[in-house]
Amino acid sequence: MKAALWYSKKDIRVEEIEEPKVTKNNVKIKVKWCGICGSDLHEYLNGPIFIPVGQPHPLSGTTAPVVLGHEFSGEVVEVGEGVSKFKIGDRVIVEPIVACGKCPACLEGKYNLCSSLGFHGLCGSGGGLAEYTVFPEEFVHKIPDEMSYEKAALVEPMAVALHSIRIANFKIGDTAIVLGCGPIGLATIECLKSAGAKLVIVLQRKSIRQEYAKRAGADLVLDPNEVNIPEEVKKLTNGVGVDVAFETTGAQVGFDIGLESLKFEGTMVVTSIWEDNVSFNPNTLVFSEKKIIGTLAYRHEFPATIAELNDGRIKAEGYVTKRVLLDDVVEEGFGALTGPEKKKHVKILVTPDESLL
């Protein structure tokens, strides 16, 4: 079968590899659509980050090259021994967590914090940028009959945003600033509006992404090159600042503006994956009891995310900006998302099936 494999930084190849075989408690899935994630781009531009190189991943037991892709939908084509929840023909998505199930975090049900955590499509256990993949049934979810495979492929990034909002203890009527309008930033805006946010302010430099932010539900989009965003935020919140900031840029400017825009006892949630260190004066926290917390992926949010996408509470309209064939994923996918027109794209979906294009 064809698959896109990461070999090293800026070296992704579409190759013929052996088709995976179904094993006990696993289901085999024929991939329909797979999104290219920001973490895939990090691996492409500056990896390895999550991908095991040199030392085998403790759960997959493999090293690079690895099959990429973890935001995908597909059809069950085979079930392994012991599988009880799925049958051939079921329409599904994968929650791409690879966890040990035995460490303290896993035993508390916080499997996204597993001490040996990996991600399908990053750790060497297979992935969605392929014709087929195999995964444990406990992390596979059925999708409603009326939900398209395309929309189902958006559940994973939306679940990241939904988890960050839950981790923030965000409440109906709270206010927020979202730093950045990439796919996760836009997903966060949509999920905040769905969660009953009173006011959602967004940091985004001048580009088409400002319009994307407004379409996602942002009440106000501000360019840090044009205005002092923390001052504007204070004006809009009776001088106090927002309840929660969501950092999705992975850049110092987003981190700084997020902290400065918070009210006393406010919380900044860091969702972004960082390639460089960040610096700040801890007195920013000490003098106003602000909090900085991290959030990683999701846990137990997939059913809610599927429901909200299916009934329209999360619309994701215009979220998909391009569709490409797996054969062309390097140039038309990764190239487009890292080239001169990268700002115009939100989510690029990839399919191994030419008939879907």
Side-chain angles (χ1 to χ4, degrees):
M1 71 171 186
K2 286 181 181 176
L5 286 86
W6 184 98
Y7 275 82
S8 63
K9 182 169 73 172
K10 294 188 177 176
D11 185 5
I12 294 173
R13 310 174 199 174
V14 177
E15 297 182 335
E16 285 285 341
I17 64 171
E18 187 177 349
E19 193 173 302
K21 293 179 173 59
V22 73
T23 51
K24 187 177 181 179
N25 298 323
N26 288 335
V27 298
K28 183 174 180 179
I29 298 164
K30 180 179 173 62
V31 176
K32 297 292 186 179
W33 290 101
C34 182
I36 299 175
C37 177
S39 57
D40 296 325
L41 295 181
H42 284 300
E43 299 287 0
Y44 176 67
L45 293 172
N46 293 289
I49 299 171
F50 291 107
I51 292 175
V53 172
Q55 185 82 12
H57 189 275
L59 298 180
S60 72
T62 60
T63 60
V66 303
V67 179
L68 290 173
H70 58 272
E71 306 178 353
F72 63 95
S73 60
E75 178 187 355
V76 174
V77 292
E78 194 175 350
V79 297
E81 179 189 348
V83 171
S84 60
K85 294 187 290 187
F86 298 96
K87 65 183 185 305
I88 293 171
D90 281 346
R91 305 168 73 252
V92 298
I93 55 173
V94 160
E95 182 176 354
I97 295 283
V98 178
C100 72
K102 301 173 183 177
C103 71
C106 283
L107 293 175
E108 285 189 20
K110 298 173 182 175
Y111 51 81
N112 65 318
L113 305 179
C114 173
S115 60
S116 301
L117 181 68
F119 292 94
H120 196 58
L122 288 169
C123 75
S125 60
L129 286 176
E131 293 183 71
Y132 297 93
T133 195
V134 169
F135 209 62
E137 74 163 334
E138 66 176 305
F139 287 111
V140 178
H141 301 265
K142 290 180 184 178
I143 57 173
D145 292 340
E146 61 271 25
M147 178 179 280
S148 70
Y149 281 117
E150 280 194 23
K151 182 166 276 192
L154 303 180
V155 168
E156 196 273 353
M158 291 295 172
V160 170
L162 201 62
H163 180 66
S164 71
I165 290 167
R166 185 168 70 82
I167 289 296
N169 291 317
F170 195 85
K171 301 181 293 297
I172 293 173
D174 279 355
T175 57
I177 183 168
V178 177
L179 296 312
C181 284
I184 296 301
L186 292 170
T188 302
I189 297 166
E190 287 223 37
C191 289
L192 282 167
K193 299 304 283 189
S194 175
K198 179 182 179 182
L199 175 69
V200 177
I201 303 165
V202 174
L203 174 155
Q204 177 59 52
R205 290 190 174 94
K206 189 155 287 182
S207 74
I208 187 63
R209 286 190 177 178
Q210 290 188 331
E211 297 306 312
Y212 292 165
K214 292 172 186 175
R215 184 176 62 199
D219 296 296
L220 187 65
V221 183
L222 301 174
D223 184 339
N225 295 327
E226 296 180 351
V227 298
N228 183 308
I229 293 180
E231 286 184 5
E232 291 298 311
V233 170
K234 297 281 176 35
K235 289 177 187 175
L236 292 162
T237 55
N238 298 318
V240 297
V242 292
D243 297 295
V244 184
F246 294 89
E247 208 307 297
T248 75
T249 67
Q252 183 80 50
V253 62
F255 187 92
D256 291 343
I257 290 174
L259 267 185
E260 290 177 48
S261 299
L262 283 177
K263 68 179 290 188
F264 57 89
E265 291 189 315
T267 299
M268 182 160 77
V269 180
V270 179
T271 314
S272 43
I273 301 298
W274 294 73
E275 295 172 4
D276 296 304
N277 292 334
V278 67
S279 61
F280 74 103
N281 188 331
N283 286 340
T284 306
L285 307 181
V286 174
F287 294 163
S288 54
E289 296 193 356
K290 295 176 181 177
K291 297 176 284 293
I292 301 174
I293 58 176
T295 176
L296 179 63
Y298 26 71
R299 60 175 180 264
H300 310 299
E301 277 96 8
F302 263 55
T305 309
I306 292 168
E308 291 199 37
L309 268 167
N310 193 49
D311 67 17
R313 281 173 286 172
I314 298 173
K315 294 180 174 57
E317 291 174 355
Y319 202 75
V320 178
T321 50
K322 190 176 184 181
R323 299 161 182 82
V324 303
L325 191 64
L326 178 60
D327 287 337
D328 304 321
V329 68
V330 178
E331 183 178 340
E332 297 295 326
F334 286 89
L337 289 169
T338 57
E341 294 192 332
K342 62 183 180 182
K343 290 288 186 184
K344 82 173 189 179
H345 288 294
V346 181
K347 185 60 62 178
I348 293 181
L349 293 186
V350 183
T351 181
D353 185 350
E354 194 168 4
S355 71
L356 295 180
L357 289 171

